[in-house]
Structure formats: C-alpha cells, structure tokens
Amino acid sequence: MATYDMPVILNTSWTVRAGQDSSPSRLADMVNAYKQPMLIDEIRFAATPAPGGGTLPYGRIFRSSVRMALGRFQITNEFIPMDVLAPRAPGPGEVILPLSRPLYMGNTYLLEPTIRSTVDFTMNLTLVGRLTEPVALGAKQWVPFISAWQTPTASTVGQTLNVKSPRSAFVNRFRTPLYVKRFVGYRAIGGGLATGAIDISVSNYLGKPVLRDPTPFYELFTPVDRMWAVETELPPAGFFMFSAAVAGTNFGNYGRISMFGYREEQL
Amino acid sequence: MSPIPGQEGRPLALSAAVTLNSGSAQRAPVLALKNPTGEHCEIREIHVTLSATGATLTGATVGMKLDLGNEALTNGYVPVWLFGRRVDATIDQDRFVWRLKYPLYVPAGGVLVPEFQHRSMVKQAITARITYLGRVLPVGARPSKVHLPWVAYWASPVFLDAEEGTASSSETELTNPHGTAIELERLAGRINRFYAQSNQHFAATDEAFNVSLRSSRGEMFVGRASLDGASNALPFSQVFGYETNSWEQRGTIMEPGTFYTATLEKVLPIVTGDINTVQGFIGMVSWRKAMLVGGQQA
Amino acid sequence: MNPRTASNVIEQFFVNSFPTVVGTSVALEPGGSNQQADHDRLVNPYDNAMLIDEIRFRTLSPELTPFLMDSSDPGRSTYNYGGTVRVMFSLGRTRFSRVPIPLGCFAPPIVNDGPLVSDFGVSTDTAEAKTIVVVPGAHPGRISMGYFRWVLPRSVLVPAGMVLDAVFTRTDDGIVDTTTVPTPPSAVRVDVAYAGRVARGPVPGNLTIPVPYVGLFAHDFTVPTIAVSGENDLSNPFDQPLHVQRLIGRLQTIYASTKGAALNGRSIALDQSCLDDAALTYFPGVTLRTFEDFNITRVQLPGVNIFEGYKRSLSLNTTLQKNQGFQVSVDGSSGLPATGGLDGFIEPGLNTAFVTMVGWREEKL
C-alpha cells in the first residue's frame, strides 16, 4: 500500500446529557496518529446507552441534533435533527453521512460536532477516511453544507397548520454556488399511532414552482431512504421555499426537512 | 470534476392521484403532471403509491400504462411492482419506486401520461398516486437523442397452493415490438400470494415456482438442460434475486421482433395452508434510443 | 497494470451478450464436509465463454417442530446458516480462497427490512434469514430460509466447458432434532446459482482475467480472550497485487433455549446480541493495523464502528503487494453474547467471529 491513501478510522465517544450541549472531550482521538491530512469519506454517529443507563431504548439518537464545523467552515447552519442529517440508515441507533466529495481535514483544524439532546446517551463518532497528501494553502476544497427546517407541531385534530419555511432555512449563504445534492425528509410519529397528513409544495428563489400542487410528504421523502435527490445548483443568495399543510393529530404532527450540498472553499 | 455552472437544471416534482373502482381503468389528471414552467424537463424517478380501505394490496392489484406523445412505453397495463427494483420489504405492499436508468426527456408542453387499471384482485376501490421527480432542463440543453423506456410483462395463471403445473408466456408478451434494438435493464420477477381465509394479498417470499427462460433466438438462458440432459429450471429467487426481485442486466440487447419465453413450473409449496392461491409475474424493463426531431421523438 | 484493464479487455467480448443463470443445490448435515455441488449443473453449457457477475445462495433449514423458539418472540429468525455453511470456489487450478468461506461473509448482508416510519421499534427478523410458518396452527412449525448474495468485485470469466466448482462444508453446529420420533432430516439444503452473461462470439483463450480472492480470519471463543489474525489470513499470498474491496465482520452465536428440546435445543444467529434488545447488532472490539504496523485504528474500537451498521463492512479500495496484509485483533475477553432471549443461554465456545477480506487479483487463463 502507498502511504497516501492508507485507510484510517478515528473514533471517539462522549456522554450526552439532556438539556446540555456537548462535544467530544478527547480531541486527540480526532487526530490520526501520523499527523497527516486525511480525506473523510464517511461520518458516522451511533448511540449506545449512557453510563449506568441499561439497555438502549430504540430511537434515542433521533431525539438529538448536531451542529458541525471544520475550523472556520460551517458544515451545518445550526443544529440539525439527527433524523434528517443523512438518508435513512439501516440501523435504528445510527446515522451515516457518506461524503461523495470527501472532506479534507488538515492538521490545523478538526471536525467539531456539538450535540444537543433531550435524553441521556453515549454518542459514538466515527470518521472513516484515508490519508492524503497535503494541499497548498489557498487551494480549493469541497465542503459539505446542511441546513434544516422543522414545521410547527399541529396538535388539534381537525385543524391544519399552513406554514412556509423561512428564507434562511434553505438558502445558499455563501459567495460561491451551492451544489445541492438532496433533500431529506422525516415525519415524526407520535407513539406509533395513526398519523396526520402533511402536504408539501415547493418553489424556488425565481418564484417558479418546483412542486406546484400540494403532495403527500412520503411521495417526496419515501420511507425507503427519506431522500429526494435533486442535483441542482443554487447561486449565492438563491433559496428554496417549502410550504406545508400539517394536519393536526392528538399526539402532534410535524415534519422535518434538510438540504444537503457542497460548496468550494479556499483553505 | 467541477459541475458546469448553470447546467444543473432546476428540480421539479409533479404528482397526481386517481381513484379506481374494481375493474375500471382511468388516466391520472394530466394537467397536474404537466411541467407548469413550460420548459423542457426530464424525469428521473417515478413513484407509485396505492391505498385502499379494508384491503391489503400488492403491486399486482393495479396495472399502469405510460404514454409519451404518440409513444406507448408499456405493453398495456403493467403491474406497478414490475417497474423498479424492490427496495424494502416493509413498504413493498403499497409503495413502488422506479429510479430510471436514463432520464426520460419530456419536451415543453408534453406530458408523460399514466393510465391505471384496477385488476379486480380486490373489490375495494384503490387510489393510485403517481409522482414524477426530475428537473427542468437548462436553457439550450435539449438533447438530440433520447432514451425511451419499454416495459413489458407476463402474468401466469393463478394456481392453487396445492396444485402443480406449468405455464409459459407467449411471443407477444416479453417482446421487443420496435424497429430498433432495445437495451435490457432488468428482468423483474414477483409472486403474489392470496390468503383466502384472511382475504389478503401478499408479496410472497416463499418459493412457489421454478423458472426457465428461452429467447426467440433459440438460447435457453435459464434452465438449460445440463450435460446429463436433465431440466435445470431454477428456484424463482435464484433467478430474480430475493433482495430486489430483479435480475439486473449488463449489456443485454434484444433485437427487433425478438422475444423471451418464460416458463414457470408450479411446485408444491413450502407453506401449506387453506385455500391459498399464487400467481407469478415476470417483467422486462428496457430502453431504446430515439432521435429528437423538432422537439418531438422521431 | 491498471486494475481495470483486464476487466475492460474482457468486457469488449461481452457486448451484446445474452444473460444466463445456472444453479444447483446440495444437502449438508452438521459436520458435513466437502460436498461438491453438481458439476454438470454449474458447468458453462454454452458454446462460448461465460462471465459470472453474481453468485446467489439460499439455505433452507430442516423443518422445525413446535416450541422450538421462544413463543413470546415467534418472529425471531434464529436459524441463520450464513456462518456455519461455507464454500470454496475454484476455477481449474485457481482458487478463490485458501479455506472455505462462510456464505454470509462474502458481501454485505441483505438489509434488515425493519419498520421504517417509526424508529421506535425494530424487527428482529433480518431479510437475510427469515422464518416462515410451515404448518399453521396454535403451535406453528417453522422453517428458516436464508438468502445471501455476492456481487463479485470483478466478473469472472468461465470458458466454454469449464466450471466454477463449488465445494460446501458445514461445521458441526449441533442443529439436529434429537427428540422427534422418527428423527426428521437434519440436513440444510443449500442452493447456489451463478448469474452472468454469455458471449455471442469467441473469446480468446489466453487472456489475463480478474479473479476474486477472499481471505478469512475465524475464531471460536471457547475461552474469553483476544484473538489475533494470522499472517496468512488477511494477506496477499500472490506475486501480483491484490486489490482489496472491503473487510466484512460478522459474529455467529449458537445459543440454546430451554424452551423445547427440539433441534438439540439450539439455534444460530448472525450479529444479533441475543440480549433483550435484540435489535442491537453486535461485534466485539476490534483493532486494525497493517503488517507494516500502520494503525488503521488508533485504539480498540467497538466492532460496529468499523464494520458499519447493517452492512457489516468497511470499504477499503486499497492495494496489497505480495505478503502485505492486515492484522485484526478481536476482543472476546468480555462482553460476548451470553443470553439467548428470555429463556436461553449460550454455551461457551459458541461465539465465532469472522473477518473476511474481499478483493481480486489478475491471473492468466
């Protein structure tokens, strides 16, 4: 094997407490032993019981959200609910974010995730990637970007909330184009009981319809992988606007949508 | 390689639903499936969702035919579960996703028109919803050549669980009726099991059939007799793949006028039960190239 | 040589090919070894060369008598033969592995088809090994069916008249029915099928072809210990480079139920912890490094953090030169599954860890 391209797996874990933002405490875990830059192909979050917490109830990771940055480069606009961070993972207690454009992580800055949760658990963070050659200062690299929006909760049976995403939810806030790969959508189900409807329509910054007629949520974000692949470009300040008609249920009906893309940054 | 600025197109989603009474056929509302921006577009994914009150459905209960302008893209009403690979068993009862191998170009003002048929396997009315996901093409990005799908199928007779038998498709079913060669993307195989006692349809995962396949060019490409002369028809899941219910093809071409003959040998079931019936479905999803002339397919 | 060159050369002969599937089956008793699949059924019967793209397996367990599984969890699929049934492939003198490889260790398993719209409940039935009712009723009899699929890292060329031989073995897993009279059969039926394409014209006989290679490290944890792979397990034994596609990690657990003594009171799971939280897939702690002491993992990591999720695999896409390889340490010193649901226990020695290395090299026909 060549030295460059050698696979590397970094892992750390820390205790997440309800109501408190937390980050990895052992930053040294996030530095590869060879102190060389690496390309991250995959970011994985997995939940295990908190110390003394017994067995892991299902779905715990999905009561948490994450904010990420790589040095001065934002990867998320704010806290992104875990269940829309990435397309659906096969397992219930994990989120796997594959990066089709690997993320360059040099020696001077580390991936910094912050977790916010309503319950206690242990978060395991794994970075899967490979060593790479250093790039010159000023070189351009692709950096992912994820932003999200959650509808208000409709809790009154017979009433429908008609809401629109704010402009800030799905906007390209950078000075370069944002190449949007996909939207991910997830509907929260209260207690596994019968769910209310959410109908979605979408328009873009030109005022043109992307999805004109209100359409059931699952037609766009099928339960298979929750993903709507779009492969489009947003110019600087361009945005998408989602409109949702959220039908009320006793246990509360709401939807979450995220936007995932890449932009170029100068290191 | 960096994407070409401005060539990404804009995402587009179109959706419409239609309710079918047993035995009836009806088009989905065409206006809802027309690109409202008035520009050229392409479709990359097609979703079909079925729902009925008081009935358990499978993708066999509704058939769909697709037309694009003067082009018929299916050999009649193809059961909706034969278009795409099975993606997840849990949702397989009522939601079907077809990720098109090639984007389907729809010229400005055109519509990919679906018509659904209730195949009378349940007596309840069924609502079929279709959603197209794709993109509006950038200005000036109109292709000179397009790919058109051709989806054809054959359904075996309905067998009782406790019987054995054999059935074969005819030369008009799994065929290439076009004047040009088609590229086969996949062969799909599905089994529908009906539990009489509970009045429910299921996508069967047990093995009800052995399969052999022959081409009209004389090749017995599944189930060819082995060197000792014995028939070698294979279990259904060994041909169509248990995970996806499809046999993905690489570089298989069907010349004009050729066809496949599928033979299903009904075997005694692993699962026994009351008056259960079982039916096999085989589909082919393929593509042909067509030239664009003046904005319409040639 | 560009690793794609041999494949590209071969593919040009398979433009406008026609598809084919050939297959056969064997029956394996516990401890049965060297059962060769029917040569005549797997041989390339056509006049031209065949390219095998995919290998499919199906297992059918013996019919189970009632009460075999926890009646409180009848959906649990506990007869996954993907670890105990193994196969060695060879094409003439060329072998795909040094030792027989478990069926469930060639490729990522078929994904769990658990519930989707809610993440608050998970099916204990994996798509890889399903249990279906054979005889309905108040105490239904069941049979387990397992499905495994290997999409070859590079398609393999089988000239006309040649055969990709498959020789099967089954370890002595103890899954026999010792109580039912008369004693029912205990053989597991294994179906194997090759899916691929046949060339319409002649293919030269002197080609350099890609040939898959699978290395295996397997360890039975008879005592708590840290097991370390040997120098021949996950390494390149060839003179030519070995292109590694992925590593796969799976844990087989044979556990006993005190509910009912049929089938010797045993059943088999792959990757399930067998604890109350049966959805928690499990693999012991792992350390991974190369023979040159390059640490792929800095410290021991939970196995599921390496062999990702339900894919149980780590994609590598790297190349090993002759005698290069990976050393894997699997920590079975504590924490291995020890209970089998509400009423079961696991005898010592019945946890087996598998790590396979899947790739390909090039050989001259």
Side-chain angles (χ1 to χ4, degrees):
Chain A
M1 278 176 281
T3 303
Y4 298 121
D5 232 20
M6 197 76 79
V8 170
I9 302 173
L10 303 176
N11 174 270
T12 191
S13 62
W14 69 102
T15 302
V16 176
R17 295 291 178 199
Q20 301 171 15
D21 293 352
S22 63
S23 294
S25 51
R26 299 188 301 270
L27 289 179
D29 289 349
M30 292 286 98
V31 179
N32 69 71
Y34 302 91
K35 305 230 177 352
Q36 290 176 4
M38 62 181 284
L39 288 172
I40 301 172
D41 295 304
E42 211 170 271
I43 301 172
R44 304 177 187 168
F45 294 93
T48 52
T55 56
L56 179 72
Y58 303 130
R60 181 150 280 183
I61 198 168
F62 300 108
R63 301 184 203 184
S64 62
S65 53
V66 62
R67 184 180 63 198
M68 280 193 287
L70 184 68
R72 58 187 172 87
F73 302 124
Q74 271 182 300
I75 293 179
T76 65
N77 67 333
E78 253 307 319
F79 282 92
I80 307 293
M82 274 290 185
D83 46 35
V84 289
L85 184 71
R88 173 181 167 262
E94 57 186 4
V95 173
I96 299 164
L97 180 62
L99 301 177
S100 57
R101 300 177 202 259
L103 177 62
Y104 180 88
M105 190 164 80
N107 293 330
T108 53
Y109 39 76
L110 303 175
L111 188 71
E112 299 162 22
T114 304
I115 301 293
R116 178 178 288 176
S117 175
T118 58
V119 294
D120 295 352
F121 64 98
T122 300
M123 179 64 89
N124 295 275
L125 169 66
T126 304
L127 304 180
V128 180
R130 50 214 147 90
L131 296 185
T132 189
E133 297 186 24
V135 298
L137 200 61
K140 287 189 179 177
Q141 292 289 327
W142 292 104
V143 181
F145 181 71
I146 310 162
S147 61
W149 172 62
Q150 177 172 315
T151 71
T153 302
S155 305
T156 305
V157 174
Q159 282 194 354
T160 298
L161 294 182
N162 290 294
V163 293
K164 287 186 194 303
S165 62
R167 182 176 168 147
S168 59
F170 302 116
V171 68
N172 175 8
R173 62 192 58 218
F174 306 104
R175 294 181 186 172
T176 52
L178 180 69
Y179 297 99
V180 179
K181 302 285 290 182
R182 59 180 177 257
F183 294 102
V184 173
Y186 176 71
R187 274 182 56 194
I189 310 298
L193 298 180
T195 64
I198 299 181
D199 288 338
I200 297 286
S201 52
V202 189
S203 59
N204 66 15
Y205 62 98
L206 298 170
K208 299 218 174 189
V210 172
L211 171 59
R212 181 189 61 192
D213 301 320
T215 298
F217 193 93
Y218 284 139
E219 291 298 313
L220 296 176
F221 307 111
T222 69
V224 176
D225 55 14
R226 303 180 186 159
M227 185 176 80
W228 173 17
V230 292
E231 301 281 351
T232 191
E233 174 192 327
L234 266 185
F239 62 91
F240 291 102
M241 181 175 291
F242 280 74
S243 301
V246 187
T249 65
N250 285 330
F251 287 85
N253 186 20
Y254 63 91
R256 292 174 174 155
I257 299 169
S258 73
M259 178 178 75
F260 176 90
Y262 293 94
R263 83 280 188 186
E264 278 190 305
E265 293 277 8
Q266 228 165 1
L267 295 182
Chain B
M1 189 168 79
S2 295
I4 302 170
Q7 293 303 307
E8 299 298 303
R10 306 194 305 272
L12 180 68
L14 303 162
S15 187
V18 62
T19 299
L20 309 155
N21 292 321
S22 182
S24 71
Q26 201 170 328
R27 280 187 169 186
V30 171
L31 200 58
L33 298 175
K34 189 172 178 179
N35 178 10
T37 72
E39 298 161 276
H40 306 302
C41 67
E42 61 185 21
I43 296 170
R44 294 178 161 185
E45 264 183 55
I46 297 177
H47 300 178
V48 175
T49 306
L50 306 178
S51 58
T53 303
T56 305
L57 305 176
T58 65
T61 53
V62 171
M64 176 172 76
K65 77 181 176 87
L66 292 171
D67 295 296
L68 182 62
N70 295 327
E71 297 285 348
L73 303 183
T74 61
N75 74 334
Y77 299 101
V78 177
V80 296
W81 63 359
L82 290 177
F83 287 85
R85 295 162 45 135
R86 182 177 86 139
V87 287
D88 195 294
T90 306
I91 67 163
D92 202 40
Q93 292 288 131
D94 55 11
R95 187 179 298 275
F96 307 94
V97 174
W98 180 22
R99 297 202 165 104
L100 280 63
K101 180 174 182 179
Y102 299 102
L104 177 58
Y105 170 76
V106 180
V111 183
L112 177 64
V113 178
E115 186 169 316
F116 293 97
Q117 181 194 51
H118 187 312
R119 300 181 77 243
S120 304
M121 295 170 70
V122 299
K123 61 178 189 297
Q124 291 86 345
I126 299 175
T127 298
R129 172 172 284 279
I130 187 164
T131 301
Y132 301 150
L133 300 182
R135 62 173 189 153
V136 176
L137 290 175
V139 173
R142 194 168 70 93
S144 58
K145 275 189 191 173
V146 295
H147 288 90
L148 295 176
W150 170 249
V151 183
Y153 86 103
W154 167 66
S156 78
V158 175
F159 290 92
L160 289 174
D161 245 353
E163 68 177 325
E164 294 175 285
T166 303
S168 295
S169 62
S170 74
E171 61 186 54
T172 60
E173 281 151 325
L174 300 172
T175 182
N176 173 11
H178 306 287
T180 55
I182 57 177
E183 173 196 337
L184 197 63
E185 179 185 350
R186 72 169 59 89
L187 290 170
R190 296 287 204 148
I191 300 175
N192 188 82
R193 174 174 291 284
F194 177 65
Y195 289 99
Q197 194 174 28
S198 57
N199 196 31
Q200 291 178 310
H201 289 275
F202 288 99
T205 54
D206 62 299
E207 302 294 345
F209 298 106
N210 289 337
V211 181
S212 54
L213 289 163
R214 176 190 292 277
S215 78
S216 53
R217 295 176 60 153
E219 297 136 351
M220 177 74 118
F221 57 95
V222 174
R224 174 171 172 145
S226 53
L227 293 182
D228 60 6
S231 168
N232 206 13
L234 296 179
F236 203 88
S237 69
Q238 293 289 75
V239 177
F240 297 111
Y242 170 76
E243 182 180 8
T244 58
N245 282 112
S246 81
W247 178 12
E248 302 296 305
Q249 300 295 307
R250 302 188 198 188
T252 301
I253 304 292
M254 284 181 81
E255 297 296 338
T258 59
F259 59 91
Y260 292 148
T261 302
T263 299
L264 293 183
E265 299 172 6
K266 171 71 178 60
V267 298
L268 290 177
I270 295 169
V271 176
T272 61
D274 294 334
I275 309 170
N276 293 335
T277 60
V278 67
Q279 185 179 22
F281 296 81
I282 295 177
M284 51 178 266
V285 179
S286 60
W287 296 85
R288 62 189 171 99
K289 289 182 190 166
M291 297 286 295
L292 263 188
V293 175
Q296 304 296 326
Q297 273 84 28
Chain C
M1 177 186 280
N2 184 328
R4 298 189 65 83
T5 298
S7 290
N8 290 343
V9 166
I10 291 165
E11 286 286 345
Q12 67 182 317
F13 297 105
F14 286 85
V15 173
N16 197 18
S17 56
F18 65 87
T20 188
V21 183
V22 295
T24 187
S25 63
V26 298
L28 294 167
E29 298 285 347
S33 62
N34 296 335
Q35 181 89 352
Q36 177 155 25
D38 190 339
H39 184 108
D40 288 343
R41 301 290 173 124
L42 294 180
V43 71
N44 174 2
Y46 304 101
D47 296 330
N48 290 317
M50 184 165 95
L51 207 55
I52 297 175
D53 301 314
E54 189 176 310
I55 298 177
R56 300 168 182 160
F57 304 99
R58 184 185 69 159
T59 60
L60 275 86
S61 75
E63 183 169 330
L64 309 176
T65 54
F67 294 116
L68 185 61
M69 288 176 283
D70 293 341
S71 58
S72 61
D73 191 7
R76 182 188 293 249
S77 129
T78 52
Y79 290 88
N80 187 335
Y81 292 93
T84 181
V85 174
R86 308 181 188 187
V87 64
M88 170 94 86
F89 290 109
S90 55
L91 184 64
R93 296 177 291 109
T94 302
R95 290 186 171 185
F96 284 16
S97 58
R98 279 193 326 114
V99 295
I101 305 296
L103 300 190
C105 295
F106 285 100
I110 293 171
V111 175
N112 187 343
D113 54 354
L116 298 170
V117 295
S118 166
D119 290 289
F120 296 95
V122 175
S123 168
T124 56
D125 208 14
T126 68
E128 187 178 71
K130 279 196 165 304
T131 301
I132 59 173
V133 171
V134 176
V135 179
H139 303 298
R142 296 179 175 83
I143 190 168
S144 272
M145 300 171 71
Y147 295 89
F148 310 91
R149 183 177 88 135
W150 183 25
V151 177
L152 302 184
R154 290 292 184 270
S155 302
V156 67
L157 186 75
V158 181
M162 283 191 68
V163 61
L164 178 63
D165 266 319
V167 177
F168 289 88
T169 63
R170 177 182 168 192
T171 59
D172 192 3
D173 46 48
I175 310 288
V176 292
D177 189 336
T178 56
T179 60
T180 301
V181 178
T183 303
S186 54
V188 170
R189 172 177 156 180
V190 182
D191 295 327
V192 59
Y194 304 152
R197 303 163 268 162
V198 181
R200 291 197 192 275
V203 177
N206 60 346
L207 292 176
T208 297
I209 64 169
V211 179
Y213 179 74
V214 184
L216 170 69
F217 167 55
H219 183 85
D220 296 325
F221 286 99
T222 54
V223 294
T225 187
I226 297 178
V228 182
S229 62
E231 61 182 25
N232 294 323
D233 292 334
L234 304 173
S235 62
N236 177 11
F238 308 106
D239 293 329
Q240 56 271 45
L242 179 69
H243 309 287
V244 178
Q245 182 191 39
R246 58 166 63 100
L247 297 180
I248 291 172
R250 308 206 68 180
L251 182 75
Q252 173 182 278
T253 302
I254 299 177
Y255 63 93
S257 173
T258 56
K259 282 197 178 194
L263 289 192
N264 216 15
R266 289 181 171 190
S267 46
I268 307 179
L270 273 181
D271 307 323
Q272 288 187 344
S273 71
C274 305
L275 301 173
D276 288 339
D277 188 348
L280 192 64
T281 56
Y282 183 82
F283 197 91
V286 170
T287 311
L288 187 59
R289 59 213 298 247
T290 70
F291 286 177
E292 291 83 18
D293 289 335
F294 178 85
N295 292 318
I296 298 175
T297 64
R298 285 173 56 121
V299 294
Q300 179 176 296
L301 300 182
V304 291
N305 287 349
I306 295 177
F307 304 115
E308 170 257 303
Y310 279 60
K311 286 190 183 170
R312 320 303 304 133
S313 71
L314 172 69
S315 292
L316 285 180
N317 293 313
T318 194
T319 300
L320 299 176
Q321 302 302 324
K322 183 175 170 63
N323 294 329
Q324 287 187 326
F326 300 102
Q327 183 188 75
V328 173
S329 303
V330 180
D331 186 358
S333 61
S334 65
L336 285 177
T339 61
L342 295 182
D343 218 14
F345 64 95
I346 295 172
E347 301 168 19
L350 296 187
N351 281 302
T352 304
F354 302 110
V355 179
T356 51
M357 175 185 75
V358 182
W360 80 96
R361 83 284 189 185
E362 288 169 354
E363 297 269 358
K364 202 146 178 79
L365 266 184

